[in-house]
Amino acid sequence: MEIEVLRIGQRLVRDDRVTTHVALVARAFGASKILMTEVNPEIRDTISGVNQTWGGDFKVEIIDGWRQALAEKKRDGYAVAHLSMYGEKIGDVQERMGAEERLLVVVGAEKVPREVYDEADYNVAAGSQPHSEVSALAVLLDRIQQGAQFERGFAGAKRRIVPSGSGKNVEQNC
Ligand code: SAM
């Protein structure tokens, strides 16, 4: 399954840390790319540094506008899953979403325009209480892949963690 993430409504400067965390979760939980409107270039550098150390080829694409990006992805055959606390229960749609070949997961930052709800194939909630795009994204990606994302390796890693119940065990230059 190909998964990409679209973040809309980034609040300039204030949101840098959250945006970085959305990108880190997308990468660690099996997405291949995050699309977002112009943000602090340091976010790209951070993700690029994480790729270099921990492997993989996760991409950050800076887009001109979410409308165009959404339309292009739909043309490319992506089903669109918009995360919103007003959406359907995730347990009711996770199986259908998990069977999609290509999925674009849309997360907001502040109020999301009505158009996004209308364009989405799934409006899906990780519980019906407000929390965060970071947590909602993690829950969705885990539910649709049923944990398989954590079994995959990240090619070209300089460091690899050997899971351990007692302290840190890290292989270098693997
Ligand atoms: N007040 C905003 C609204 O009405 O859209 C919510 C802003 S919230 C801080 C930012 C994003 O987190 C939302 O756009 C949504 O993608 C995600 N989010 C927050 N709680 C969620 C939930 N319970 N289920 C799914 N997504 C959620």
Side-chain angles (χ1 to χ4, degrees):
M1 180 184 203
E2 273 179 68
I3 305 170
E4 296 189 5
V5 174
L6 170 62
R7 180 148 198 262
I8 65 173
Q10 152 92 355
R11 289 171 286 199
L12 282 176
V13 185
R14 249 187 331 144
D15 260 0
D16 278 359
R17 200 170 144 76
V18 176
T19 303
T20 304
H21 286 187
V22 172
L24 287 171
V25 165
R27 176 187 172 277
F29 284 66
S32 58
K33 184 190 273 189
I34 185 164
L35 303 107
M36 51 197 181
T37 46
E38 185 107 36
V39 286
N40 189 337
E42 276 177 27
I43 295 174
R44 274 182 124 166
D45 297 344
T46 302
I47 300 301
S48 157
V50 172
N51 284 344
Q52 275 171 30
T53 305
W54 297 103
D57 186 27
F58 183 80
K59 293 189 172 56
V60 176
E61 185 178 328
I62 307 298
I63 53 170
D64 289 334
W66 62 264
R67 265 186 200 85
Q68 194 187 338
L70 197 60
E72 273 171 21
K73 290 294 163 192
K74 287 181 89 166
R75 271 200 302 277
D76 289 346
Y78 282 79
V80 175
H82 167 226
L83 274 162
S84 158
M85 67 182 191
Y86 303 103
E88 288 182 275
K89 287 182 177 174
I90 195 162
D92 292 345
V93 284
Q94 65 189 47
E95 210 174 308
R96 266 197 296 140
M97 284 193 297
E100 299 284 1
E101 275 179 24
R102 297 178 137 189
L103 193 71
L104 180 72
V105 183
V106 182
V107 293
E110 24 186 27
K111 194 170 163 44
V112 171
R114 176 75 220 183
E115 208 179 324
V116 176
Y117 291 80
D118 296 338
E119 289 295 326
D121 299 290
Y122 306 93
N123 285 292
V124 56
S128 298
Q129 297 293 322
H131 44 92
S132 152
E133 54 270 50
V134 180
S135 50
L137 179 63
V139 169
L140 182 141
L141 293 178
D142 189 56
R143 290 286 188 98
I144 63 175
Q145 298 176 98
Q146 296 170 30
Q149 72 278 7
F150 298 141
E151 305 307 321
R152 285 183 220 124
F154 283 73
K158 285 188 190 145
R159 279 194 217 158
R160 194 177 67 84
I161 290 170
V162 180
S164 165
S166 56
K168 299 179 187 174
N169 188 355
V170 182
E171 284 178 352
Q172 303 278 356
N173 298 317
C174 32

